C-alpha cells in the first residue's frame, strides 16, 4: 500500500508507540471503488462492512445489490451477494431470507430503485414483515442514469427530466418513504440518517448496528434511510453537497428515528 | 476527402466535445460526417473516446477498427489506439500526461504539452482546443473559421464570451506544433 | 408398485414438485393454474417447505431469483399474461445462470384474452420473450402423467445446466384428470457451493449472483459461455415421441394437447387408409430439427397442428429446409380442433396437392 | 493556512495522532479536510494514477480524533493514536460482540 | 429547403416525435436512450404536449394504453430490460388494437447485461415477446436520419392498422451523431371516433377498449380479425434496401447498425474482387421473405450479420427455404464486428465451401 | 320488461296516481349482470351510474375497469370505458386524464388488483395527485380467480391459499389502503363506506357524489373504498355476508371519512 | 311470517307505495327482503329463466320507502309512491344539478 | 370397451362431480380414463360440462366432438349436445328442467324427473346421483360398487355419512328408468 504520513515514524514503531484507532474494515474489499469523488455510496458501504466485521457475521450475511450506482456493491463488500433486477431487491431478499431464516439478509437500494419502480415490492415485503434490513440511499436523483428526477427529488430541484425544476403540481411531492412505511405494522425499526459529517457518520453506524441486532429478533423489517449526495448530478462539489443536505434535504426529510421498537 | 479519426482520453478531458466540434465544422463545410461516442458510466471515471469521420462521400460504417489519425490524451488510450493507426497515419498526444508514446516508426507521432499550456493560459478546460489547433495545423481537414462557426453551436450561449479564448487556444496549438517540428520531428510523409 | 392416483394436471404438477424435493414455490393466482398454488399452500408446509403467494408475478420471479441464487430448488407457475410480466426476471435468471423451474399453463391471448387453453406462447417460450440472447429448455407435457414427470426432469436439467427450465403446458392439460403414477425418484447430487449465496465462510472467496458485465469484452465472454451451454443442450437434450412414422406418407407435427388430438386424428385417417404418422416434440427447445429433417426425406407432407396462428410450424420449416411440403392447421382463442377437422384438412391438402 | 490555525503546538498535547493516506485510492473529495479541526490535512499538488490530487497529512497537528477517517468515503485513511488506553476509541470485533450482549452500542 | 441539423439518434427521434404531432410521451429512464425523455421533457411542454416520467416501464406502457385508447398519438421508449417489462402491456395493446409507437434502443443482454449496443431483442420484437398471437410492425433504422423518418412512418402505420409499431434501434444509433433533415410532414386524416374513449355522447353507443373475449368463439373471431390485419401488413408493408445485388455472388443480410458496417465490408470485399451484395431489411416484421427467396436463386451464399447469437438468420433461412447456403456471423455483449472481420469471415466460408 | 306487483294496478294508472321514487338509472345498461347473487359489485356499479346520470356527465366520464370480477364493468356502465391490465388501472387512468384534463376519469378496482399487483401504480398516481376517482371494492378476497388471499384478507380468514386462515406472522396484517394513501399529499378525499344496508348505500352514494364533485376542483386524487362482499368465496349467503361485514370487516377497516378536504 | 308482522294495516297509511320487480333479473339474494321493514317482499317458489326463485311483492304493505331498491344489487326494483310532494324522495338530474351548485347533497 | 360421455348442465347441478365419480369408478376397475371439464367463470353462473372417457385401451384425445352418451341437465345443453351424439347413442336428460328434448330418432332419448325426485328425498343436491344411477342402469359401464368406492374418494371425509343416501339415489335412478321403460319408451338398439 502506497501511503504518506510523517516519515519519521516507521510502521513497526508505530505499532509500539501508537495504536490503530481507525482502519478500513477487512470486510471491505481492498480495491478502488468506482464511485465519484465524495459519493456517499462508498461511505455507507464502508459502514455496513464495519458492522459486519465487528459483529463477526460475514458468514451469516447475504446482501442484495440494486440497479443503480451501487449495482457494483458486490465488488466491494466481501460477503455473498445477489444483484437484483431494478427495483426488485426486496423480492429477491424475501426469496433468500425465507429459505435461510437464520441468516442476516439486507438490501441496499437507491431512491429510484426502491421508491419508483420498486415501491410495490418494497411495500409488500415490509407489510409481510420480512425480517430483512433495507439500507435506503436517498440521494434525490437517479445517479447511474445521469441525473433524472427521482420520487425523492425536492420541489423545484433541477434534474435532467425536470429542466425547470420539479413541478409538484405535475409530479407531486417527494415521497417520504420512511414515514410511509412506518405506518405498516410489518416495519419494526425505521430511521433516517445523514453521513455528511463525522457525527452523522457515527449516528448512521449506530443505526446500522441497531438494525442488524434487531434482525436477530425476527420481529419485522428494519429500514435505515440515509440522505446521501450525488455530486456529479447535483453539479456540486462534495463539500457543497454536504451544505445542501443540511440546508435543503433534511428540511424535506427530517433526520432521526421514525419508528423504534419498545423492547 | 476522407478522414477517419479517433479521439480518446479520460472523462473530463473534453474528448467528446473535441470530436463533436470537428463534426460540426465538417457540417459547416457541407461534408458528410459521423460522430460515434463510446458511452457508458463515464461519470464514474474511466475513459472516453469518439470516432469522428469527415468525408466528401456518404459514410457507411460509423464504426472503425483502424484510423487515419488518433488523438490520445492519456496512456491507456495511447496503448490501445496507436497500434490501430493506418501506416502513414498520425498519432497526436498530450505529452504532459503520456510518458510512453508508441514506438511505431511508420506513422507520425507528435506530442504537445497542451495541459501545461492550458494552465499557463489560466483555463485548463481549453486543453482540448489547443490539441485541436495542433491537429488542424497538421491535417487541415476543416478551416479554423469553420471550427469557430461550430463552437457557436457546441457552446451554450452563455459561454460565447469564451470564443476568443478558444480561438487563442487553437492558434497556440498551431504554434506548439511548429516549434515541435522545428525541434526536428520528422514527418514520415 | 407405487399408488396410481386420479388427478388434475395442475395437481399432479404440484404433487410432483413436492416429491422432487422442491424447496420453495412463489406464485400469484391466475386461471387456469391457480390449483398449483392452492395445492402447494395445503401440502408444502407439511413438508416444511416454503410456499408463498407473492404480490405479483414480477415479485414471484424475483423471489425465485433470490431463492434459486441461494442454491435452493425453486419454482413458480403462472399463465400467459403472468408469464409476460416475468420476462425481465427470466432474462435475469438466464443471465445469472440460476437453475429453477417455471411453468406456463398457456391460455389464449393476446392481452387478457380468455382463460381457455392455447399454444400462443410458443415463440415467447422457445425464442426468448425476454431481452438478450438466452435460452431455456422448454418441456411440453401432453398428459397428466407428463405434468408430473416433467417436473422431475425439469428440476434435474435446470441443475445440470444451471439454467431455467420452462414447462409449457396449457389450460386443458392443467384442468383435465387422468391417472398418474409417482414413481420413486432419485435426486442427482449437485454441488452448488461454488456459486450459491449461502454466506461466505473464511475458507472461500465470496459468491455473487449477477447478470451484469459492464465491459463488452467480459459480456461477450459471458455470452459465449452461455452459447456453449445452449449448444450442449441442443446436442444432449432433444426429446420427442413418434408414432407410425415407419410407413408414414403424411406426418402430423404437434406438441402437448394438440399431439393427443392428432393421435386420434391419425387413427381416424389410418382407418380411412391414409398412411399418417405423428411426431411429438417433447422438448421445444432444443427442437428436434434433426429428426424433422430425416423425416422430411420420407414424407410427402408435414402438417403442423397448433392452438395458435402458426408458430412451431416455423421450426418445422427450419428443420425441413425445403425438402418437403410443410403446412399448418390451427385453431385460436381457446377453440379446439376436433380430430375429424384435422383429418378433413389433411384430405383437402392432399387433394389440392395432387391438383398441382 | 498555517497562519490562521488556532491549534496548540503539538508538543503540549497529551494525545498524539497519526494518519496514513492510501494515496492511490484518494479521490480528492476534500471531505476529510473540512472535518479536520486541526487543519492537518490538505490537498497536495501531485496527481495519483487516477489523476486525482491526493491528500497530504501533517501528522504533527493530528490528534487522532478519527473524524477524517469516518467521513472518508473511500476508506483511505488509517488513524493511530497514543495513550489510547485512557479514552479507548478503537473497537475490535471482540469488544463489540461483548457490548452487543448488553444494550445497543454506539459506534466509536 | 428544411434546415439540416447534427443530432444524436435519440434526439432526432425525439424531435421527429414532436414534428409528427405526438400528443403524449410516457417513459422511464434507461441507458442508452434516456436522451429521448430528457429531450422531450425540455421541448414537449413548449408545444403543449404531455411528457411524463413514469414510475416504471410497466406504468409507462399502461399510460400509453390509456392515452392511445383515448385516441391520442402516443409513444414510449426504453431499452431491452425495460422493454421486457412492457411485454404484458404490449400484448394488451395489440389485443385491444391501439395505435402507438414503442421504441427499443437495444442494448446487450441477457439480464442487466451491459449498456453497449446489441440486437439480441430481434426475436422478442418480431415473434412477439408477449403472450398470445399478436404482431407489431417492426422498423429497423440504420441512421440518424431514419431514427427521425421512422417516427413519422411508425405513427402513420400504427394509425393505418390500429396496431402498435415498434422501432428496433440500438445504442450506437441512439448515441451517434449524423446529419438529419426534418422534411415537412403531412399527417394523414384518421377518424378514431368509432372506438376512442373520449366520452359517450347521446348520439353514439359507448366505446370501450378491451382485449378480453371470454367466449372462445368470440375470442377466435377476434384472433382471426387480427390475423387478417397481419396478413395485410405482410402484403403491403414489406420494406427493404439492397445494394449491388444485380451481380452479387455473395449476399450480406443485416439490419440497423450492422447493415452500415456490412456496407463498408462490402466495399472492402469488392475491392478484393469479391462480388458481394447487401440486403437490408427495413421492416423486420413483415419480413422480406419474398425478396430473400428471389435472391436465393441468384447468390451462392447468404451471410446474416447480427449483434446477437443468430436470430434474424432464422428468417433468412425461412425465406431461402433450402435454395442456397445460409451462414451466420455475429458479435455479442456489445462488441462490434469490424468490416474487416466480416470480410475475413466471408472469405473463410468461401474457401471452406469450395473445400467441400 | 316482465314484472310482477299487485295486479289490480295497471301501469297506466300507476303513473297517474303514483310517482316513481326509485328506478334503475338510464346509464346502467339494461342487461342481467354476470355477478353472483348479492354481489356488491353490481350494487356499486348501479350507484356510480346513478351519480353519472344525476350529474348528467355521461359524455364527460371515462371509466377504467380492472381485471377482477368487475372486468366486465364496461358491459354494464353505459359510458366510454377502458379495460386495464391487472393492477394497472391507475396508470391507464393517468394516461387518459392527462390527455383529457376536462373529463371525469375514474377507476374501479378490486383489492387484489389495486393493493397487490397494482399497489405501485396506485401509490404513484395518488402521489402525483392525479385528478381521478378511484373506486376501490374491498371484498378481502380474490373473487374472480375463486377465493385466494388478498392483501386485505382478515387475520385468520380462510382462503384457498390460506387453508389454515391468514397467518399474519407469515403474510403480515391486511393492508389498510385508505389510511396508507391518505398519508400522501396527493390524495384529496379518502373515505371508506359499506353497502350492506340501505343506510350504507345512501352514505356510499353521497361519498361518490362528493368525489365526482371534488374532481371538478382538480385538487388531487379521490378514493372511495367500499367494503364489499363475496358470497361465493366467503361461502356465505349474501345476508350472512352483511352480518360478517358488520361483525368482522369493519373492525379491521373502520368505516367513515379518512381525509376530507377543508374547502 | 305473516303472524309476526308489526306493521299497521295498509289502509290507515298516509303514504302508499308500490314496487315492481324485474323478475328475470332477480337473483334471489334476499337482500331486499331483509331490508323491507313492512315484510312486503318474499321469495316466490317459481323459477325464472336463470333458475332463480324470484321475489314476490305484496304491494298492500309497501310504503315506498325505497330501501329494498337501494340495496338491490341488480337494480331490479322500481318503486312508486303516492303523496310524493310532501316528502320528495325522487331525484331528477335537474334537481341534482341544482343542488350541486350549492353544497354537497345527500342521496335520497 | 370404450365409452365417450359428456355431462352438461348448469353450474350448481353437480355436473362435474358426476363425471368425476364415474372416472374414479373407472379407475377402481382398472380402466383407462380421462375427465376433461369445461372451466371458466362458472362461479358467475353459466353452464358447465365435462367429457368423461372410459376405455380398456390407452386414450388418445381427451377432447371429442361426438359422444356415445350425452347426459344433459338443462335446455341449452340439450340443444348443444344432443346433435353430437353418435347414431345409436344415448341422450339422458332431466325432464323437470328440459321441456324440449331432441327430436332425433336414431338415438335413445330418455328423460328422468330427477330434480323432483331429489326434492322428495329431501336433498336436492343428490339429483346428479339419481341421474347417474339411471345412466348406469342403461349403460353398465362400471359397477355400482365401484361408484360407491369412488364416492369415498370424491366426497370429503366429513360427508361420508352421506354415502348411504347416495346409494339410495343411485337405486332410485335405476327404478325411474325401469318405470320409464315400462311406460314403453322404445330403445333403438
Ligand atoms: C427495468 C430497468 N429500468 C431502468 C433501468 C435504468 N436504470 C438503471 S439505475 C436507474 C435508477 C438509479 O437511480 P437510484 O435507484 O436512485 O440509484 P442511484 O444511482 O441514484 O444510487 C435506472 C432508471 C434499468 N437498468 N432497468
Ligand atoms: C397479470 C395477471 N395476473 C393474474 C391474473 C389473474 N387474476 C384475475 S383477477 C385477479 C384478482 C381478482 O381479485 P380482486 O382484484 O380482489 O377482484 P375481485 O374479483 O375480488 O373483485 C387475478 C389474480 C391476471 N388476469 N393477470
Ligand atoms: S453518479 Fe452520483 S450516486 Fe452515482 S457514483 Fe456518482 S456521485 Fe455517486
Ligand atoms: S484524525 Fe482528526 S486530527 Fe487527525 S487528521 Fe484526522 S481529523 Fe485531523
Ligand atoms: S476524504 Fe478520503 S478520498 Fe476524500 S480527499 Fe480525504 S482522503 Fe481523499
Ligand atoms: S365471485 Fe365474489 S366478487 Fe366475484 S361476482 Fe361472485 S360474489 Fe362477486
Ligand atoms: S319500498 Fe320499502 S316498503 Fe316497499 S317493498 Fe321496498 S322496502 Fe318494502
Ligand atoms: S335484492 Fe334484488 S336481486 Fe336480490 S332478491 Fe331482492 S330483488 Fe332479487
Ligand atoms: Mg438515487
Ligand atoms: Mg377482491
Amino acid at each position: 500500500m502506497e501511503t504518506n504520513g510523517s516519515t519519521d515514524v516507521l510502521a513497526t514503531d508505530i505499532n509500539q508507540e501508537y495504536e490503530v484507532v481507525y482502519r478500513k474494515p477487512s470486510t471491505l474489499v481492498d480495491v478502488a471503488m468506482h464511485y465519484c469523488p465524495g459519493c456517499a455510496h462508498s461511505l455507507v458501504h464502508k459502514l455496513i462492512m464495519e458492522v459486519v466485521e465487528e459483529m463477526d457475521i460475514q458468514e451469516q450475511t447475504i446482501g442484495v445489490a440494486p440497479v443503480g450506482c451501487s449495482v457494483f456493491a458486490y465488488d466491494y463488500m466481501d460477503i455473498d451477494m445477489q444483484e437484483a433486477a431494478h427495483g426488485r431487491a426486496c423480492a429477491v431478499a424475501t426469496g433468500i431470507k425465507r429459505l435461510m431464516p437464520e441468516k442476516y439478509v439486507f438490501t441496499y437500494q437507491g431512491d429510484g430503485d426502491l421508491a419508483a419502480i420498486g415501491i410495490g415490492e418494497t411495500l409488500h415485503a415490509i407489510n409481510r414483515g420480512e425480517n430483512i434490513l433495507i439500507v435506503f440511499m436517498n440521494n434525490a436523483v437517479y445517479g447511474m442514469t445521469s441525473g433524472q428526477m427521482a420520487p425523492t427529488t425536492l420541489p423545484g430541484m433541477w434534474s435532467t427530466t425536470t429542466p425547470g425544476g420539479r413541478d409538484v403540481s405535475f409530479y407531486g411531492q417527494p415521497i417520504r418513504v420512511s414515514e410511509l412505511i412506518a405506518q405498516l405494522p410489518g416495519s419494526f425499526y425505521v430511521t433516517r440518517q445523514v453521513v455528511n459529517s463525522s457525527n452523522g457518520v457515527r449516528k448512521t453506524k449506530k443505526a446500522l448496528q441497531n438494525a442488524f441486532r434487531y434482525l436477530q429478533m425476527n420481529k419485522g423489517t428494519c429500514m435505515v434511510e440515509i440522505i446521501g449526495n450525488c455530486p456529479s448530478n447535483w453539479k456540486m462539489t462534495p463539500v457543497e453537497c454536504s451544505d445542501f443536505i443540511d440546508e435543503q434535504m433534511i428540511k424535506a426529510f427530517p433526520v432521526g428515528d421514525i419508528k423504534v421498537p419498545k423492547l | 476527402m476522407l478522414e477517419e479519426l479517433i479521439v480518446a482520453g479520460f472523462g473530463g478531458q473534453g474528448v467528446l466535445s473535441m470530436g463533436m466540434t470537428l463534426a460540426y465544422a465538417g457540417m459547416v463545410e457541407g461534408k458528410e460526417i459521423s460522430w460515434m461516442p463510446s458511452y457508458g458510466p463515464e461519470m464514474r471515471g474511466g475513459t472516453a473516446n469518439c470516432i469522428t469521420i469527415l468525408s466528401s462521400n456518404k459514410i457507411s460504417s460509423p464504426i472503425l477498427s483502424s484510423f487515419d489519425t488518433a488523438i490520445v490524451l492519456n496512456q491507456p488510450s495511447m496503448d490501445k489506439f496507436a497500434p490501430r493507426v493506418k501506416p502513414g497515419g498520425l498519432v497526436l498526444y498530450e505529452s504532459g500526461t503520456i510518458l510512453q508514446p508508441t514506438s511505431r516508426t511508420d506513422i507520425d507521432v507528435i506530442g504537445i504539452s497542451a495541459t501545461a499550456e492550458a494552465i499557463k493560459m489560466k483555463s485548463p478546460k481549453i486543453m482540448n482546443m489547443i490539441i485541436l489547433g495542433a491537429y488542424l495545423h497538421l491535417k487541415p481537414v476543416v478551416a479554423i473559421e469553420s471550427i469557430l462557426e461550430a463552437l457557436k453551436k457546441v457552446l451554450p450561449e452563455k459561454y460565447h464570451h469564451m470564443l476568443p479564448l478558444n480561438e487563442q487556444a487553437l492558434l497556440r496549438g498551431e504554434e506548439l506544433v511548429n516549434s515541435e517540428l522545428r525541434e526536428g520531428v520528422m514527418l514520415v510523409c | 408398485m407405487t399408488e396410481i392416483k386420479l388427478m388434475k394436471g395442475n395437481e399432479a404438477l404440484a404433487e410432483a414438485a413436492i416429491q422432487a424435493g422442491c424447496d420453495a414455490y412463489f406464485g400469484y393466482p391466475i386461471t387456469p393454474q391457480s390449483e398449483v398454488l392452492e395445492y402447494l399452500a395445503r401440502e408444502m408446509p407439511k413438508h416444511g417447505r416454503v410456499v408463498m403467494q407473492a404480490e405479483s408475478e414480477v415479485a414471484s420471479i424475483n423471489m425465485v431469483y433470490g431463492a434459486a441464487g441461494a442454491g435452493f430448488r425453486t419454482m413458480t407457475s403462472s399463465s400467459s399474461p403472468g408469464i409476460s410480466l416475468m420476462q425481465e426476471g427470466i432474462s435475469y435468471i438466464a443471465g445469472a445462470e440460476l437453475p429453477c423451474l417455471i411453468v406456463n399453463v398457456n391460455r389464449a391471448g393476446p392481452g387478457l384474452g380468455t382463460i381457455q387453453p392455447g399454444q400462443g406462447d410458443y415463440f415467447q417460450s422457445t425464442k426468448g420473450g425476454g431481452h438478450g440472447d438466452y435460452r431455456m429448455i422448454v418441456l411440453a407435457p401432453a398428459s397428466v402423467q407428463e405434468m408430473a414427470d416433467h417436473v422431475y426432469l425439469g428440476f434435474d436439467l435446470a441443475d445440470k445446466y444451471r439454467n431455467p427450465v420452462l414447462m409449457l403446458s396449457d389450460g386443458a392439460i392443467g384442468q383435465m384428470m387422468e391417472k398418474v403414477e409417482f414413481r420413486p425418484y432419485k435426486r442427482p447430487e449437485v454441488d452448488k457451493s461454488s456459486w450459491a449465496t449461502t454466506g461466505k465462510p473464511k475458507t472461500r472467496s465470496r459468491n455473487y449472483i449477477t447478470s451484469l458485465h459492464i465491459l463488452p469484452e467480459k459480456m461477450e465472454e459471458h455470452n459465449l459461455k452461455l452459447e456453449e451451454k445452449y449448444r450442449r443442450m441442443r446436442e444432449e437434450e432433444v426429446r420427442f415421441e413418434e408414432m407410425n412414422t415407419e410407413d408414414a406418407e403424411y406426418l402430423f407435427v404437434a406438441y402437448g394437447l394438440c399431439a393427443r388430438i392428432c393421435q386420434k386424428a391419425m387413427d381416424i385417417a389410418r382407418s380411412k387408409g391414409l398412411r399418417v404418422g405423428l411426431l411429438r416434440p417433447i422438448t421445444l427447445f432444443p427442437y428436434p430439427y434433426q429428426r424433422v429433417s430425416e423425416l422430411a426425406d420420407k414424407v410427402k407432407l408435414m402438417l403442423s397442428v397448433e392452438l395458435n396462428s402458426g408458430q412451431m410450424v416455423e421450426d418445422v420449416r427450419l428443420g425441413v429446409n425445403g425438402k418437403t411440403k410443410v403446412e399448418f392447421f390451427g385453431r385460436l382463442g381457446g377453440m379446439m380442433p376436433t380430430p375429424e377437422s384435422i383429418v378433413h384438412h389433411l384430405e383437402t391438402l392432399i387433394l389440392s396437392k395432387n391438383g398441382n | 493556512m498555517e497562519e490562521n490555525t488556532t491549534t496548540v503546538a503539538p508538543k503540549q498535547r497529551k494525545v498524539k495522532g497519526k494518519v496514513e493516506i492510501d494515496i492511490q485510492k484518494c479521490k480528492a473529495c476534500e471531505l476529510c479536510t473540512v472535518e479536520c479541526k486541526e487543519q492537518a490535512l490538505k490537498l497536495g499538488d501531485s496527481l495519483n494514477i487516477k489523476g486525482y490530487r491526493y491528500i497530504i497529512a501533517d501528522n504533527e497537528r493530528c490528534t487522532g480524533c478519527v473524524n477524517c477517517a469516518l467521513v472518508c468515503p473511500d476508506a483511505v485513511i488509517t488513524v493511530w493514536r497514543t495513550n489510547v488506553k485512557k479514552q479507548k476509541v478503537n473497537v475490535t470485533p471482540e469488544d463489540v460482540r461483548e457490548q452487543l450482549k448488553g444494550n445497543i452500542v454506539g459506534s466509536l
Side-chain angles (χ1 to χ4, degrees), chain B residues 2 4 20 23-24 26-27 30-41 58-66 86 153:
Chain B
L2 172 64
E4 299 179 328
M20 200 183 292
Y24 267 110
M27 188 172 75
K31 295 192 166 58
E32 293 298 323
I33 46 192
S34 140
W35 176 84
M36 170 73 75
S38 73
Y39 60 93
K58 203 153 181 351
I59 294 164
S60 56
S61 175
I63 288 181
L64 304 167
S65 47
S66 59
K86 301 175 194 161
K153 289 184 196 282

Side-chain angles (χ1 to χ4, degrees), chain C residues 120-193:
Chain C
D121 303 353
Y122 179 90
F123 278 144
Q124 183 193 56
S125 312
T126 58
K127 314 273 173 182
H131 60 285
D133 288 281
Y134 72 89
R135 297 288 192 162
M136 292 184 283
I137 293 178
V138 181
L139 302 171
S143 65
V144 172
Q145 183 64 54
E146 280 188 336
M147 283 289 268
D149 297 345
H150 286 187
V151 171
Y152 304 96
L153 178 61
F155 273 126
D156 292 349
L157 289 174
D159 284 339
K160 176 177 177 186
Y161 291 96
R162 243 193 98 176
N163 206 67
V165 170
L166 180 85
M167 274 176 67
L168 183 58
S169 179
D170 66 61
I173 294 177
Q175 294 295 326
M176 71 189 276
M177 277 186 150
E178 288 185 319
K179 287 199 250 177
V180 54
E181 183 181 357
F182 296 95
R183 309 193 184 78
Y185 161 71
K186 171 138 183 5
R187 178 172 176 174
E189 277 307 321
V190 273
D191 177 11
K192 303 180 173 178
S193 61

Side-chain angles (χ1 to χ4, degrees), chain C residues 320-332:
Chain C
V320 168
N321 198 29
K323 292 191 291 181
T324 189
K325 200 164 174 229
V326 178
E327 294 287 350
F328 168 76
F329 181 64
R331 292 299 298 271
L332 289 156

Side-chain angles (χ1 to χ4, degrees), chain A residues 41 67-69 86 110-113 117 139 141-145, chain C residues 88:
Chain A
H41 275 305
V67 176
C69 282
H86 188 38
D111 38 45
D113 189 81
I117 193 170
N139 58 11
V141 72
Y142 284 15
M144 177 165 242
T145 45
Chain C
E88 187 207 21

